[in-house]
Amino acid sequence: MGRGTVRGERIRQPAGRGEPPEKASDLGWDDSLYEDAPGGDDADSRGRTTRSRQRAAVRPRRRRRRILRWTASILAFLIIGTAGAGYLYYRHLNGNLKTGKLNLGEHKVPEPTPNAAGQRPLNILLIGSDSRNTKENLKLGGHKQSVGSAPLADVQMLLHLSADRSNMSVVSMPRDTLTRLPQCTDPKSGKVYAATVSRQMVNTSLARGGPGCTVATWEEMTDIHIDHYMMVDFSGVVSMADAIGGVPVCVNANVHSRNSSGEGSGLKLRKGTTSVKGEQALQWLRTRHGFEDGSDIARAKAQHMYMSSMVRELRKNATFSHPAKLRTLAEKATNALGVDDGLDTVKKLYDLSNELKRPAPKRITMTTMPFVYEGARVVPKENDADALWRLLRDDIALDGKDKADKEKPKDETSDDPAAADGKIAVQVRNGTRTATTPAAPGRAAQVAQALTAEGFTQAVPDQAQSLVEDRTVIRYPSADLEGDAQAVAKSLGIPLSSVEESTEVSGVTLIVGADWKTGTAYPKSTDDEDAGKALDKEQTQNGADDSKCMKVEPGYTW
């Protein structure tokens, strides 16, 4: 609409046709705003007054100001409206999240000590539920008889992000791992599930009050502090896989995961690389019949391959820079995820995602807990599983690259002179017990005898209850005994970095740890060597390796 129609429907006439030019007031201008100061009506050489010149100069500025005022008003309205809509959508996304208590058990592992920069590692338990208690989930897998039964945690992975955020480790635990389950209290019903006397499959922990009991089980088994959990069911995997837009996976032959008895996920792929999404992605993640030996171990390897590929895809494509795709992913993810109450807002999830994307794919290591078969089930492999959990507790990278990236503690000889070996009183204690295995019997007496043979005749075993100590350590109560403690360490080949002052002991105390369960010579190994020994190379993948293909089990090709 023109300005003339606003002001009495006047039609602008050109000057010079018998009609005087329009006044400024007729065009909506207020002349009083531009009155000259006294004495400002002198004419210039062209007969124009100073006032008219000023009016001519000010009119464009005034027009610009009015336009700016209108524009600012419109922008303010849009900003307020958009912010309001954004806030409402943010609340909507928060409302999508299903939250629960982090740990439902009695035993809670304290947070690890921060590093020199004040950083702590992050441990997140990823849980895949086999719930069939919705139409969507039942359609995607399982039998009608499963409806109403308690869900099982058929996928369990511990994601460890290093304190300095340089590397990430992902460790799967087979669903049929046997362990004693801790006491858990259902936060909704108040029902208390007593600790089990016999060993049960670890996936049944989810049915004992929810994911918080699975967290409690992991902390009991590994003695690792878990910061958060994330849980997703069948339909959640499908919706998130659709939102991501496809993840490349590879098989070394045509595969169809379906046998004559109807067992299998239904996955059907041609040899080579295929980008899977939606229901096909779920089939890949669930496939056991058709991969390698048809076990849960093979399924875990396929899941690691999918996760590694997904990380690479998200890093290289524009999913997170496209507003529509980002909104879709946010909607799908918040509807699909169950999280602990420490991740109860989208902002917290966003902040966490920024932390998780910091390690480069080449510094991401995925593996499966070392295990041995016990009948049709599995149990943690003694020593190897403990070594793996210790590496995570000590925040040591599983790719063995910490030697180049981190400064190792140096052995420094004390200025305090040591007493004669035969005059040093040493108490030896058994600390070989772990969260999953009993103490090695007689270790305190065996090592005390070895010390006596070295001339430390006052070394005596402590017959008290065994301790839990990951690594062998020698503690002393005050600086005047530091030299004595180091003399004991040198005699057995224990590194001086394992000698520490502590008010918890009354004299030089040697605690034989889980790293020294046999023999009288302390085993010599570095953290990087430990990392290599603890991992099964067949079950370990690097996040940057896109050359691997799943081996297809004979009988499932087409």
Side-chain angles (χ1 to χ4, degrees), residues 9 13 33 165 264 299 448 537:
E9 299 295 323
Q13 296 290 337
L33 295 174
R165 306 305 189 249
R299 173 159 51 191
K537 290 183 174 56

Side-chain angles (χ1 to χ4, degrees), residues 48 83 223 228 257 282 286 288 314 348 371 408 461 498:
R48 296 171 63 188
D223 206 29
H228 299 292
S257 178
L282 175 65
R286 294 187 62 216
R288 179 165 62 89
L314 291 176
K348 291 177 182 177
F371 66 91
K408 301 297 182 186
S498 296

Side-chain angles (χ1 to χ4, degrees), residues 347-411:
K347 182 182 184 306
K348 291 177 182 177
L349 283 170
Y350 175 78
D351 291 342
L352 178 61
S353 71
N354 283 335
E355 295 292 297
L356 295 177
K357 71 182 182 183
R358 290 174 64 179
K362 64 181 180 181
R363 294 302 313 278
I364 299 175
T365 304
M366 299 189 178
T367 191
T368 298
M369 175 196 77
F371 66 91
V372 293
Y373 280 101
E374 190 171 287
R377 310 303 181 197
V378 303
V379 294
K381 187 176 183 180
E382 189 175 1
N383 296 331
D384 288 358
D386 292 337
L388 177 58
W389 305 139
R390 180 183 62 76
L391 290 171
L392 297 183
R393 285 193 297 270
D394 291 349
D395 197 25
I396 296 170
L398 296 187
D399 58 11
K401 295 181 179 178
D402 273 352
K403 181 180 286 185
D405 297 340
K406 296 181 180 179
E407 182 180 355
K408 301 297 182 186
K410 297 179 180 179
D411 292 347

Side-chain angles (χ1 to χ4, degrees), residues 112 121-123 158-163 167-172 218 222-225 365 367 385-398 470 535:
L122 273 174
N123 293 301
L158 182 64
L159 186 155
H160 173 87
L161 180 64
S162 66
N167 64 87
M168 182 189 297
S169 304
V170 181
V171 180
S172 291
W218 270 76
T222 67
D223 206 29
I224 295 172
H225 172 79
T365 304
T367 191
D386 292 337
L388 177 58
W389 305 139
R390 180 183 62 76
L391 290 171
L392 297 183
R393 285 193 297 270
D394 291 349
D395 197 25
I396 296 170
L398 296 187
D470 298 331
L535 303 183

Side-chain angles (χ1 to χ4, degrees), residues 12 56 98 188 227 239 251 320 398 401 424 436 479 504 547 552:
R12 187 188 296 265
K98 299 173 284 294
K188 294 181 179 178
D227 298 278
S239 62
V251 289
F320 290 131
L398 296 187
K401 295 181 179 178
I424 299 176
T436 57
E504 295 179 356
S547 64
V552 175

Side-chain angles (χ1 to χ4, degrees), residues 129-135 137-152 154 175 234 286:
S129 164
D130 75 341
S131 172
R132 276 95 171 187
N133 292 334
T134 66
K135 291 181 180 179
N137 284 332
L138 185 59
K139 181 180 177 181
L140 294 168
H143 305 284
K144 290 182 179 180
Q145 292 88 339
S146 302
V147 175
S149 60
L152 302 174
D154 274 359
R175 66 173 183 171
F234 291 164
R286 294 187 62 216

Side-chain angles (χ1 to χ4, degrees), residues 134 318 423 462-463 521:
T134 66
K423 293 185 177 181
D462 185 347
Q463 303 300 332

